[in-house]
CSV table of all heavy atoms in Angstrom, one decimal:
chain,number,residue,atom,x,y,z
C,18,SER,N,2.2,-15.8,5.3
C,18,SER,CA,3.0,-17.1,5.3
C,18,SER,C,4.4,-16.8,5.8
C,18,SER,O,5.2,-17.8,6.1
C,18,SER,CB,3.1,-17.7,3.9
C,18,SER,OG,3.7,-16.8,3.0
C,19,ASN,N,4.9,-15.6,5.9
C,19,ASN,CA,6.2,-15.3,6.3
C,19,ASN,C,6.3,-15.0,7.8
C,19,ASN,O,7.4,-14.8,8.3
C,19,ASN,CB,6.7,-14.0,5.6
C,19,ASN,CG,6.9,-14.3,4.1
C,19,ASN,OD1,7.5,-15.3,3.7
C,19,ASN,ND2,6.5,-13.3,3.3
C,20,GLN,N,5.2,-15.0,8.5
C,20,GLN,CA,5.2,-14.7,10.0
C,20,GLN,C,4.9,-16.0,10.8
C,20,GLN,O,3.9,-16.7,10.5
C,20,GLN,CB,4.3,-13.6,10.3
C,20,GLN,CG,4.7,-12.2,9.7
C,20,GLN,CD,3.9,-11.1,10.2
C,20,GLN,OE1,2.8,-11.3,10.8
C,20,GLN,NE2,4.3,-9.9,9.9
C,21,THR,N,5.7,-16.2,11.8
C,21,THR,CA,5.5,-17.3,12.7
C,21,THR,C,5.4,-16.9,14.2
C,21,THR,O,6.2,-16.1,14.6
C,21,THR,CB,6.6,-18.3,12.6
C,21,THR,OG1,6.7,-18.7,11.2
C,21,THR,CG2,6.4,-19.5,13.4
C,22,LEU,N,4.4,-17.3,14.9
C,22,LEU,CA,4.2,-17.0,16.3
C,22,LEU,C,4.8,-18.1,17.1
C,22,LEU,O,4.5,-19.3,17.0
C,22,LEU,CB,2.7,-16.9,16.6
C,22,LEU,CG,2.3,-16.8,18.1
C,22,LEU,CD1,2.9,-15.5,18.7
C,22,LEU,CD2,0.8,-16.9,18.3
C,23,PHE,N,5.8,-17.7,18.0
C,23,PHE,CA,6.4,-18.6,18.9
C,23,PHE,C,5.8,-18.4,20.3
C,23,PHE,O,5.8,-17.3,20.8
C,23,PHE,CB,7.9,-18.4,19.0
C,23,PHE,CG,8.6,-18.9,17.7
C,23,PHE,CD1,8.7,-18.1,16.6
C,23,PHE,CD2,9.2,-20.1,17.6
C,23,PHE,CE1,9.3,-18.5,15.4
C,23,PHE,CE2,9.9,-20.5,16.5
C,23,PHE,CZ,9.9,-19.7,15.4
C,24,ILE,N,5.4,-19.5,20.9
C,24,ILE,CA,4.8,-19.4,22.3
C,24,ILE,C,5.6,-20.4,23.2
C,24,ILE,O,5.8,-21.5,22.9
C,24,ILE,CB,3.3,-19.9,22.3
C,24,ILE,CG1,2.5,-19.0,21.3
C,24,ILE,CG2,2.7,-19.8,23.7
C,24,ILE,CD1,1.0,-19.5,21.2
C,25,TYR,N,6.1,-19.8,24.3
C,25,TYR,CA,6.9,-20.6,25.3
C,25,TYR,C,6.0,-20.9,26.5
C,25,TYR,O,5.1,-20.1,26.9
C,25,TYR,CB,8.0,-19.7,25.8
C,25,TYR,CG,9.2,-19.6,24.8
C,25,TYR,CD1,9.1,-20.0,23.5
C,25,TYR,CD2,10.4,-18.9,25.2
C,25,TYR,CE1,10.2,-19.9,22.6
C,25,TYR,CE2,11.4,-18.7,24.3
C,25,TYR,CZ,11.3,-19.2,23.0
C,25,TYR,OH,12.4,-19.0,22.2
C,26,SER,N,6.2,-22.1,27.0
C,26,SER,CA,5.5,-22.5,28.2
C,26,SER,C,6.4,-23.3,29.1
C,26,SER,O,7.4,-23.8,28.6
C,26,SER,CB,4.2,-23.2,27.9
C,26,SER,OG,4.5,-24.4,27.1
C,27,THR,N,6.0,-23.5,30.3
C,27,THR,CA,6.8,-24.3,31.3
C,27,THR,C,5.9,-25.4,31.9
C,27,THR,O,4.7,-25.3,31.9
C,27,THR,CB,7.4,-23.5,32.4
C,27,THR,OG1,6.3,-22.8,33.0
C,27,THR,CG2,8.4,-22.5,31.8
C,28,GLU,N,6.5,-26.4,32.4
C,28,GLU,CA,5.8,-27.5,33.1
C,28,GLU,C,5.2,-27.0,34.4
C,28,GLU,O,5.8,-26.2,35.1
C,28,GLU,CB,6.7,-28.7,33.4
C,28,GLU,CG,6.1,-29.9,34.0
C,28,GLU,CD,7.0,-31.0,34.2
C,28,GLU,OE1,8.2,-30.9,33.7
C,28,GLU,OE2,6.7,-32.0,34.9
C,29,SER,N,3.9,-27.4,34.6
C,29,SER,CA,3.2,-26.9,35.8
C,29,SER,C,3.9,-27.3,37.1
C,29,SER,O,4.5,-28.5,37.2
C,29,SER,CB,1.8,-27.5,35.9
C,29,SER,OG,1.0,-27.1,34.7
C,30,ASP,N,3.9,-26.4,38.1
C,30,ASP,CA,4.5,-26.7,39.4
C,30,ASP,C,6.0,-27.0,39.3
C,30,ASP,O,6.6,-27.7,40.2
C,30,ASP,CB,3.8,-27.8,40.1
C,30,ASP,CG,2.3,-27.5,40.3
C,30,ASP,OD1,2.0,-26.4,40.6
C,30,ASP,OD2,1.5,-28.5,40.2
C,31,SER,N,6.7,-26.5,38.3
C,31,SER,CA,8.1,-26.7,38.1
C,31,SER,C,8.9,-25.5,38.6
C,31,SER,O,8.3,-24.4,38.7
C,31,SER,CB,8.5,-27.1,36.7
C,31,SER,OG,8.2,-25.9,35.9
C,32,SER,N,10.2,-25.7,38.8
C,32,SER,CA,11.0,-24.5,39.1
C,32,SER,C,11.1,-23.5,38.0
C,32,SER,O,11.2,-22.3,38.2
C,32,SER,CB,12.5,-25.0,39.5
C,32,SER,OG,13.0,-25.7,38.4
C,33,SER,N,10.9,-24.0,36.7
C,33,SER,CA,10.9,-23.1,35.6
C,33,SER,C,9.7,-22.2,35.6
C,33,SER,O,9.7,-21.1,35.2
C,33,SER,CB,11.0,-23.9,34.3
C,33,SER,OG,12.2,-24.6,34.2
C,34,GLU,N,8.5,-22.8,36.0
C,34,GLU,CA,7.3,-22.1,36.1
C,34,GLU,C,7.4,-21.0,37.1
C,34,GLU,O,7.0,-19.8,36.9
C,34,GLU,CB,6.1,-22.9,36.4
C,34,GLU,CG,4.8,-22.2,36.5
C,34,GLU,CD,3.6,-23.0,37.0
C,34,GLU,OE1,3.8,-23.7,38.0
C,34,GLU,OE2,2.6,-23.0,36.3
C,35,THR,N,8.0,-21.3,38.3
C,35,THR,CA,8.3,-20.3,39.3
C,35,THR,C,9.2,-19.2,38.8
C,35,THR,O,8.9,-18.0,39.1
C,35,THR,CB,8.9,-21.0,40.5
C,35,THR,OG1,8.0,-22.0,41.0
C,35,THR,CG2,9.2,-20.0,41.6
C,36,ALA,N,10.2,-19.6,38.1
C,36,ALA,CA,11.1,-18.6,37.5
C,36,ALA,C,10.4,-17.6,36.6
C,36,ALA,O,10.6,-16.4,36.6
C,36,ALA,CB,12.3,-19.3,36.8
C,37,LEU,N,9.5,-18.1,35.7
C,37,LEU,CA,8.8,-17.3,34.8
C,37,LEU,C,7.8,-16.3,35.6
C,37,LEU,O,7.7,-15.1,35.2
C,37,LEU,CB,8.0,-18.1,33.8
C,37,LEU,CG,8.7,-18.5,32.5
C,37,LEU,CD1,7.7,-19.1,31.5
C,37,LEU,CD2,9.4,-17.3,31.8
C,38,ARG,N,7.2,-16.8,36.6
C,38,ARG,CA,6.3,-16.0,37.4
C,38,ARG,C,7.1,-14.9,38.1
C,38,ARG,O,6.7,-13.7,38.1
C,38,ARG,CB,5.5,-16.8,38.4
C,38,ARG,CG,4.5,-17.7,37.7
C,38,ARG,CD,3.7,-18.6,38.8
C,38,ARG,NE,2.7,-19.3,38.1
C,38,ARG,CZ,1.4,-18.9,38.0
C,38,ARG,NH1,1.0,-17.7,38.5
C,38,ARG,NH2,0.5,-19.7,37.4
C,39,LEU,N,8.3,-15.2,38.6
C,39,LEU,CA,9.2,-14.2,39.2
C,39,LEU,C,9.6,-13.2,38.1
C,39,LEU,O,9.7,-11.9,38.4
C,39,LEU,CB,10.4,-14.8,39.8
C,39,LEU,CG,10.1,-15.6,41.1
C,39,LEU,CD1,11.4,-16.4,41.5
C,39,LEU,CD2,9.6,-14.7,42.3
C,40,LEU,N,9.9,-13.7,37.0
C,40,LEU,CA,10.3,-12.8,35.9
C,40,LEU,C,9.2,-11.8,35.5
C,40,LEU,O,9.4,-10.6,35.2
C,40,LEU,CB,10.8,-13.6,34.7
C,40,LEU,CG,11.5,-12.8,33.5
C,40,LEU,CD1,12.7,-12.1,34.0
C,40,LEU,CD2,11.8,-13.8,32.4
C,41,ALA,N,8.0,-12.3,35.5
C,41,ALA,CA,6.8,-11.5,35.1
C,41,ALA,C,6.7,-10.4,36.2
C,41,ALA,O,6.4,-9.2,35.8
C,41,ALA,CB,5.5,-12.3,35.1
C,42,THR,N,6.9,-10.7,37.4
C,42,THR,CA,6.8,-9.6,38.5
C,42,THR,C,7.9,-8.6,38.3
C,42,THR,O,7.7,-7.4,38.4
C,42,THR,CB,6.9,-10.3,39.9
C,42,THR,OG1,5.8,-11.2,40.0
C,42,THR,CG2,6.9,-9.2,41.0
C,43,TRP,N,9.1,-9.1,38.1
C,43,TRP,CA,10.3,-8.2,37.9
C,43,TRP,C,10.1,-7.3,36.7
C,43,TRP,O,10.4,-6.1,36.7
C,43,TRP,CB,11.5,-9.1,37.7
C,43,TRP,CG,12.8,-8.3,37.3
C,43,TRP,CD1,13.6,-7.6,38.2
C,43,TRP,CD2,13.3,-8.1,36.0
C,43,TRP,NE1,14.6,-7.0,37.5
C,43,TRP,CE2,14.5,-7.3,36.2
C,43,TRP,CE3,13.0,-8.6,34.8
C,43,TRP,CZ2,15.3,-7.0,35.1
C,43,TRP,CZ3,13.8,-8.2,33.7
C,43,TRP,CH2,14.9,-7.4,33.8
C,44,SER,N,9.5,-7.8,35.6
C,44,SER,CA,9.3,-7.0,34.4
C,44,SER,C,8.4,-5.9,34.5
C,44,SER,O,8.4,-4.9,33.7
C,44,SER,CB,8.9,-7.9,33.2
C,44,SER,OG,7.6,-8.4,33.4
C,45,THR,N,7.5,-5.9,35.5
C,45,THR,CA,6.6,-4.8,35.8
C,45,THR,C,7.1,-3.8,36.8
C,45,THR,O,6.4,-2.8,37.1
C,45,THR,CB,5.2,-5.4,36.2
C,45,THR,OG1,5.4,-6.1,37.4
C,45,THR,CG2,4.6,-6.3,35.1
C,46,GLU,N,8.2,-4.1,37.4
C,46,GLU,CA,8.8,-3.1,38.4
C,46,GLU,C,9.3,-1.9,37.7
C,46,GLU,O,9.7,-1.9,36.5
C,46,GLU,CB,9.9,-3.8,39.2
C,46,GLU,CG,9.5,-4.9,40.1
C,46,GLU,CD,10.7,-5.6,40.8
C,46,GLU,OE1,11.8,-5.2,40.4
C,46,GLU,OE2,10.4,-6.4,41.7
C,47,PRO,N,9.4,-0.8,38.4
C,47,PRO,CA,10.1,0.4,37.9
C,47,PRO,C,11.5,0.1,37.5
C,47,PRO,O,12.2,-0.7,38.1
C,47,PRO,CB,10.0,1.4,39.0
C,47,PRO,CG,8.8,1.0,39.9
C,47,PRO,CD,8.9,-0.5,39.8
C,48,LEU,N,12.0,0.8,36.5
C,48,LEU,CA,13.4,0.5,36.0
C,48,LEU,C,14.4,0.5,37.1
C,48,LEU,O,15.3,-0.3,37.1
C,48,LEU,CB,13.7,1.4,34.8
C,48,LEU,CG,13.0,1.2,33.5
C,48,LEU,CD1,13.4,2.2,32.5
C,48,LEU,CD2,13.3,-0.2,33.0
C,49,PRO,N,14.5,1.5,38.0
C,49,PRO,CA,15.5,1.5,39.0
C,49,PRO,C,15.5,0.3,39.9
C,49,PRO,O,16.5,-0.3,40.2
C,49,PRO,CB,15.2,2.8,39.8
C,49,PRO,CG,14.5,3.7,38.9
C,49,PRO,CD,13.6,2.8,38.1
C,50,ASP,N,14.2,-0.2,40.2
C,50,ASP,CA,14.1,-1.4,41.0
C,50,ASP,C,14.6,-2.6,40.3
C,50,ASP,O,15.2,-3.5,40.8
C,50,ASP,CB,12.7,-1.6,41.5
C,50,ASP,CG,12.2,-0.5,42.5
C,50,ASP,OD1,13.1,0.2,43.0
C,50,ASP,OD2,11.0,-0.3,42.6
C,51,ARG,N,14.3,-2.7,39.0
C,51,ARG,CA,14.7,-3.8,38.1
C,51,ARG,C,16.2,-3.9,38.1
C,51,ARG,O,16.8,-4.9,38.1
C,51,ARG,CB,14.1,-3.7,36.7
C,51,ARG,CG,12.6,-3.9,36.7
C,51,ARG,CD,12.0,-3.5,35.4
C,51,ARG,NE,12.6,-4.3,34.3
C,51,ARG,CZ,12.2,-4.2,33.0
C,51,ARG,NH1,11.2,-3.3,32.7
C,51,ARG,NH2,12.7,-4.9,32.1
C,52,ALA,N,16.8,-2.7,38.0
C,52,ALA,CA,18.3,-2.7,37.9
C,52,ALA,C,18.9,-3.2,39.2
C,52,ALA,O,19.9,-3.9,39.2
C,52,ALA,CB,18.8,-1.2,37.6
C,53,ARG,N,18.3,-2.8,40.3
C,53,ARG,CA,18.9,-3.2,41.6
C,53,ARG,C,18.7,-4.7,41.7
C,53,ARG,O,19.6,-5.4,42.2
C,53,ARG,CB,18.2,-2.5,42.7
C,53,ARG,CG,18.7,-1.1,43.0
C,53,ARG,CD,18.2,-0.5,44.3
C,53,ARG,NE,16.8,-0.3,44.3
C,53,ARG,CZ,16.2,0.8,43.9
C,53,ARG,NH1,16.9,1.8,43.5
C,53,ARG,NH2,14.8,0.9,44.0
C,54,THR,N,17.6,-5.3,41.3
C,54,THR,CA,17.3,-6.7,41.4
C,54,THR,C,18.3,-7.5,40.5
C,54,THR,O,18.9,-8.5,40.9
C,54,THR,CB,15.9,-7.0,41.0
C,54,THR,OG1,15.0,-6.3,41.8
C,54,THR,CG2,15.6,-8.5,41.1
C,55,ALA,N,18.5,-7.0,39.3
C,55,ALA,CA,19.5,-7.6,38.4
C,55,ALA,C,20.9,-7.6,39.0
C,55,ALA,O,21.6,-8.6,38.9
C,55,ALA,CB,19.4,-7.0,37.0
C-alpha cells in the first residue's frame, strides 16, 4: 500500500509524443554522443 506506480503518456501525433520518441532514441545512445547532443 506504500508503493505507487506513475505512468506518463502523451497525446497521439502531438509534438510531445515526437519529443518523447526523440528522447527514447537519445537515451540509448552512447554516453559521449548523448553529451554532445545535450
Side-chain angles (χ1 to χ4, degrees):
S18 60
N19 293 313
Q20 292 187 351
T21 303
L22 172 65
F23 289 82
I24 302 175
Y25 287 5
S26 59
T27 55
E28 187 177 347
S29 297
D30 300 321
S31 65
S32 59
S33 295
E34 182 186 50
T35 300
L37 271 190
R38 288 177 177 269
L39 289 173
L40 189 60
T42 300
W43 174 81
S44 66
T45 59
E46 292 179 351
L48 287 177
D50 293 342
R51 290 169 61 178
R53 282 194 293 271
T54 302

